[in-house]
Amino acid sequence: MQGFLTTQEAAEKLGVTAGRVRQMIIDGQLPAKKFGRDNLIQESDLKLVENRKVGRPPKKQSTSKEKRSRGRKPAK
């Protein structure tokens, strides 16, 4: 199909994995059309996610009390 990309092709253009592209589709960040078992993405829709934040979100900082209560016994 002209103008459409598979998840793998979209991943290569975006510099991410195919799994990350599927997650963006599930999250509603990237529109796609289901064609059989595959998702097809319009090449022009890649602009919607090209300026996204990269990497994992920062972890919530835990307090020292939470660190101690994770099933470990405190050192004596």
Side-chain angles (χ1 to χ4, degrees):
M1 293 180 103
Q2 189 74 13
F4 283 91
L5 303 170
T6 64
T7 53
Q8 184 62 45
E9 293 168 333
E12 289 170 7
K13 288 196 178 252
L14 292 170
V16 297
T17 65
R20 182 67 188 117
V21 171
R22 286 190 292 275
Q23 190 61 49
M24 285 189 273
I25 292 168
I26 291 168
D27 292 343
Q29 297 173 324
L30 186 62
K33 298 200 186 285
K34 195 78 168 163
F35 188 76
R37 66 182 186 109
D38 298 321
N39 289 305
L40 296 179
I41 300 116
Q42 283 189 326
E43 192 165 2
S44 60
D45 286 339
L46 295 182
K47 292 178 185 175
L48 297 172
V49 293
E50 68 185 4
N51 292 324
R52 70 200 179 286
K53 289 184 179 179
V54 295
R56 293 179 183 224
K59 287 186 175 182
K60 180 184 133 189
Q61 293 291 333
S62 59
T63 64
S64 59
K65 191 180 250 186
E66 289 174 338
K67 287 179 184 176
R68 282 186 262 138
S69 66
R70 290 188 180 165
R72 292 179 276 165
K73 293 181 180 178
K76 292 183 180 181

